[in-house]
């Protein structure tokens, strides 16, 4: 079997005619029939097509980024989007929030940003003689953190609990996030001036790291043509809400019901295990990385209309699920080796289950 490029876009899904209001069904597999249907995935495929269509009205190309963000949302994770300025990172995140119909907020990270600017603060009310909590922008269902690596470690630490446990503890009181909850963070490459390296513990809380490159020549010409046709402006009103919180949660539940058989589970564990002993890596993937591979593979399978994950699904999300969880040795970094290069070699070396 040929090994796909881990950087390649996720496999496209076939359009369906089902309604997005469908409800995920409990597993129905019985006996020894491994291919019995476990969940109805037509609503998921319909939702994916609707999101692709709405985002595609303003974002030309960048198919890999859009599909990886949708897969991340369906898997119930957070996404870190990295790329040079001007490649539609922030625009795509805003459009995903708008098309899903979820509560949305945006935080611009700067070097002087404090944790209370993100989480909120308690304000004393003299007349009542008590404190009233004023929630910060983190209390939304889709939170866009722009240029996340421009804030110092103290502010980054404020995100640890909320990203992992979907709650925030402020002044001894715990506040739960409204489901579904997703953090979309953009960052410039760390080589750019004024950026900080994110702590490993925080990077590990992102299900995917989506790397955005430049568009092709044909895509850039299409972008210019479309921009000119609409009066030289980006009209966000062209994108409409096609889903809601209930539809997203039903789709996420359907993804959770997608099966991953023991050979597929072992395959994911072997890939992550290989990163822990690879000579080019100083830090390999944790068990959370293995969980990310399985979560991502289930989402990719559901987007393709299947209720079971395959080794190819694992391969297709190795790069976004693993590139931010491994650290190269200094020698390999000096040589210009990328994390994706090491992951590609590992995928080639690990035997694919039959």
């Amino acid at each position: 079997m040929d090994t796909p490029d881990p950087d390649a876009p996720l496999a496209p899904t076939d359009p369906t005619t089902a309604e997005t209001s469908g409800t995920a069904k409990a597993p129905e597999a019985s006996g020894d029939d491994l291919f019995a249907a476990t969940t109805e995935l037509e609503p998921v495929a319909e939702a994916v097509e609707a999101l692709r269509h709405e985002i595609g009205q303003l974002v030309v190309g960048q198919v890999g980024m859009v599909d990886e963000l949708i897969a991340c949302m369906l898997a119930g994770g957070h996404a870190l989007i990295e790329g040079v300025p001007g490649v539609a990172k922030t625009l795509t995140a805003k459009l995903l929030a708008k098309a899903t119909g979820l509560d949305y907020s945006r935080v611009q990270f700067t070097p002087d940003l404090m944790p209370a600017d993100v989480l909120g603060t308690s304000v004393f009310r003299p007349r009542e003689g008590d404190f009233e909590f004023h929630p910060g922008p983190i209390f939304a269902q889709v939170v866009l953190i722009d240029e996340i690596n421009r804030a110092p470690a103290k502010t980054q630490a404020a995100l640890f609990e909320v990203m992992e446990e979907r709650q925030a503890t402020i002044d001894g009181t715990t506040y739960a996030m409204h489901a579904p909850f997703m953090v979309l963070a953009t960052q410039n490459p760390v080589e750019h001036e004024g950026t900080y390296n994110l702590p490993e513990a925080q990077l590990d809380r992102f299900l995917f790291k989506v790397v955005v490159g430049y568009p092709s020549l044909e895509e850039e010409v299409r972008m210019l043509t479309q921009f000119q046709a609409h009066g030289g402006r980006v009209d966000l009103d062209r994108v409409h809400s096609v889903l809601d919180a209930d539809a997203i949660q039903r789709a996420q539940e359907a993804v959770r019901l997608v099966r991953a058989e023991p050979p597929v589970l072992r395959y994911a564990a072997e890939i992550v295990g290989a990163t822990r002993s690879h000579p080019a890596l100083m830090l390999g993937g944790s068990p959370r990385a293995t969980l990310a591979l399985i979560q991502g593979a289930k989402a990719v399978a559901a987007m393709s209309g299947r209720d079971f994950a395959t080794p190819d699904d694992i391969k297709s999300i190795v790069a976004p699920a693993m590139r931010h969880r491994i650290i190269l040795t200094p020698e390999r970094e000096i040589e210009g080796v990328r994390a994706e290069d090491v992951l590609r070699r590992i995928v080639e070396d690990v035997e694919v289950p039959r």
Side-chain angles (χ1 to χ4, degrees):
M1 180 182 297
D2 295 333
T3 302
D5 185 347
D7 289 322
L10 303 179
T13 178
D14 293 328
T16 68
T17 58
E19 297 295 327
T20 57
S21 59
T23 303
K25 296 183 179 179
E28 299 174 353
S30 60
D32 296 325
D33 185 2
L34 297 179
F35 298 98
T38 59
T39 184
E40 295 294 336
L41 293 173
E42 290 86 354
V44 177
E46 181 71 10
V48 170
E49 283 302 313
L51 291 175
R52 284 174 175 159
H53 176 266
E54 291 301 315
I55 296 173
Q57 293 191 75
L58 294 182
V59 177
V60 177
Q62 305 294 12
V63 175
M65 171 177 60
V66 173
D67 276 6
E68 287 173 7
L69 290 180
I70 294 175
C72 189
M73 173 172 278
L74 292 177
H78 310 295
L80 176 64
I81 313 170
E82 180 180 280
V84 298
V87 290
K89 303 185 302 297
T90 301
L91 175 62
T92 304
K94 289 171 63 176
L95 296 180
L96 179 63
K98 187 171 184 179
T100 54
L102 301 177
D103 291 337
Y104 164 77
S105 69
R106 174 178 175 176
V107 191
Q108 180 67 51
F109 268 27
T110 57
D112 60 347
L113 196 73
M114 299 299 291
D117 298 326
V118 178
L119 300 177
T121 185
S122 296
V123 178
F124 182 68
R125 300 185 297 179
R127 186 170 297 178
E128 289 79 5
D130 60 6
F131 286 87
E132 180 182 25
F133 176 64
H134 289 199
I138 199 68
F139 287 89
Q141 292 175 305
V142 176
V143 181
L144 170 58
I145 300 177
D146 214 7
E147 297 187 294
I148 189 173
N149 58 341
R150 293 195 181 276
K154 183 176 183 179
T155 305
Q156 302 293 350
L159 299 173
F160 284 14
E161 180 185 13
V162 71
M163 291 181 64
E164 179 64 20
E165 302 177 41
R166 266 69 173 180
Q167 64 181 32
T169 303
I170 300 135
D171 295 332
T173 303
T174 299
Y175 303 90
M177 301 293 116
H178 294 293
F181 174 71
M182 183 182 193
V183 172
L184 294 170
T186 70
Q187 72 171 17
N188 299 132
V190 294
E191 294 82 6
H192 284 222
E193 185 177 354
T195 61
Y196 299 83
N197 282 316
L198 297 183
E200 287 81 2
Q202 183 177 359
L203 285 172
D204 207 35
R205 282 163 167 77
F206 286 102
L207 185 70
F208 285 175
K209 179 182 177 181
V210 180
V211 174
V212 188
Y214 291 111
S216 67
L217 176 60
E218 291 75 14
E219 290 172 342
E220 197 152 5
V221 170
R222 279 200 293 133
M223 178 196 71
L224 293 171
T225 303
Q226 180 174 301
F227 186 68
Q228 181 173 269
H230 290 88
R233 64 190 182 93
V234 178
D235 186 6
L236 296 180
D237 292 335
R238 293 171 55 202
V239 175
H240 302 94
S241 172
V242 292
L243 299 173
D244 58 22
D246 290 339
I248 294 294
Q249 288 183 282
R250 286 194 295 268
Q252 290 176 340
E253 179 60 25
V255 169
R256 283 191 287 270
L257 293 175
V258 170
R259 294 195 313 275
E261 301 297 340
V264 176
L265 299 177
R266 184 176 185 86
Y267 182 58
E270 287 178 348
I271 290 175
V272 177
T275 67
R276 299 168 189 165
S277 58
H278 198 282
L281 298 178
M282 185 169 60
L283 177 69
S286 68
R288 187 184 280 145
T290 316
L291 292 172
L293 281 181
I294 296 301
Q295 288 176 266
K298 287 184 175 185
V300 173
M303 291 171 66
S304 301
R306 285 180 285 102
D307 60 359
F308 59 93
T310 68
D312 283 341
D313 297 327
I314 297 287
K315 292 178 184 178
S316 70
I317 50 88
V318 164
M322 294 286 296
R323 56 164 60 103
H324 57 300
R325 304 176 193 272
I326 61 176
I327 298 179
L328 296 167
T329 62
E331 295 80 11
R332 293 296 177 266
E333 281 192 305
I334 293 174
E335 294 171 0
V337 176
R338 302 182 307 155
E340 290 84 349
D341 299 329
V342 177
L343 291 171
R344 186 178 295 108
R345 296 189 193 110
I346 288 174
V347 170
E348 291 172 350
D349 293 341
V350 175
E351 184 178 358
V352 180
R354 302 295 180 184

